Amino acid sequence: LKLFCLKLITSRTLFPAVLCRVAAMLRTLASRSSSFLSRAAAPHISSSASSSSSSSAALLCRAAARPSQPLARVLAPRLLGGGQPRFSSISITFVKAEDNSELTVPAEPGQTILEVAFENNIDIEGACGGECACSTCHIVMSEEDYAKFDEPDEDEADMLDLAMNVTETSRLGCQIKLTKDNDGMRLTIPEGTVSFLS
């Protein structure tokens, strides 16, 4: 289901009717799950399953009703992050190069930088939805933070070659998973992005 939904949010040719159809399927699933689980004498589980599926259906309907809003920003936080509230144990600061404005946001170890950006409405496009197929989640780290991660693999390096304003400490946000050691990390969002998915 996650792979199917990720294909949905990265497609540029979807019609709202498709999303509404998926939403209807989710509502049906929620209804059937609720009925089955209630017969199994587990009302508390039934309520949770119904609420989760109904919430996903509502999310899809909102995306269909607002086609001008990038689908990745509507759906990706739920698909990539699981859609459940999590206890935040670290903080990350994003700095926009164009005006030096800063925003410190909560994050959870195990998330990628792109997931954190999506969840907190940071101005990072992430056009491919985190599949390392574009350079629109390009960020720049300090040398100290850069050294805490493995070197970019070949796929990431190829995508970075297509990015604007690349530096020696540039990375793609979708390829960086956070740990507790990254608490307080500052990331610069460079000016300009190039997307070949448009």
Side-chain angles (χ1 to χ4, degrees):
L1 179 60
K2 284 193 175 184
L3 286 175
F4 171 71
C5 290
L6 281 173
K7 288 180 180 179
L8 287 180
I9 66 174
T10 56
S11 173
R12 297 280 178 165
T13 59
L14 287 176
F15 296 97
V18 175
L19 295 180
C20 284
R21 177 62 178 168
V22 174
M25 293 170 61
L26 285 171
R27 287 197 186 96
T28 301
L29 176 62
S31 176
R32 291 179 179 177
S33 296
S34 177
S35 175
F36 173 78
L37 291 173
S38 61
R39 289 198 301 270
H44 62 291
I45 299 177
S46 168
S47 175
S48 174
S50 176
S51 174
S52 175
S53 296
S54 296
S55 176
S56 297
L59 197 64
L60 286 166
C61 279
R62 285 208 305 274
R66 294 180 294 173
S68 60
Q69 182 174 359
L71 291 178
R73 285 198 174 276
V74 178
L75 299 179
R78 289 291 183 90
L79 297 175
L80 299 178
Q84 298 298 325
R86 288 172 297 198
F87 176 76
S88 171
S89 57
I90 64 175
S91 63
I92 303 295
T93 299
F94 290 88
V95 182
K96 293 184 69 172
E98 60 185 9
D99 59 9
N100 287 322
S101 60
E102 299 183 8
L103 181 62
T104 300
V105 299
E108 178 75 11
Q111 287 185 290
T112 66
I113 291 172
L114 181 60
E115 289 170 1
V116 175
F118 278 163
E119 285 191 354
N120 293 279
N121 295 315
I122 302 298
D123 190 19
I124 294 180
E125 182 179 354
C128 72
E131 296 296 311
C132 197
C134 72
S135 61
T136 58
C137 63
H138 173 211
I139 49 91
V140 178
M141 301 177 172
S142 68
E143 291 185 4
E144 180 182 356
D145 287 324
Y146 185 90
K148 294 179 181 178
F149 299 95
D150 293 335
E151 288 293 316
D153 62 20
E154 185 176 347
D155 289 339
E156 183 180 357
D158 287 343
M159 290 298 103
L160 283 171
D161 285 341
L162 305 176
M164 298 175 63
N165 302 313
V166 176
T167 72
E168 291 295 322
T169 57
S170 287
R171 294 298 301 265
L172 295 183
C174 67
Q175 299 301 296
I176 300 297
K177 280 197 173 185
L178 300 170
T179 69
K180 289 184 178 180
D181 292 337
N182 303 131
D183 188 24
M185 182 167 62
R186 294 172 63 84
L187 303 168
T188 299
I189 304 173
E191 295 186 61
T193 59
V194 178
S195 175
F196 294 95
L197 300 180
S198 299

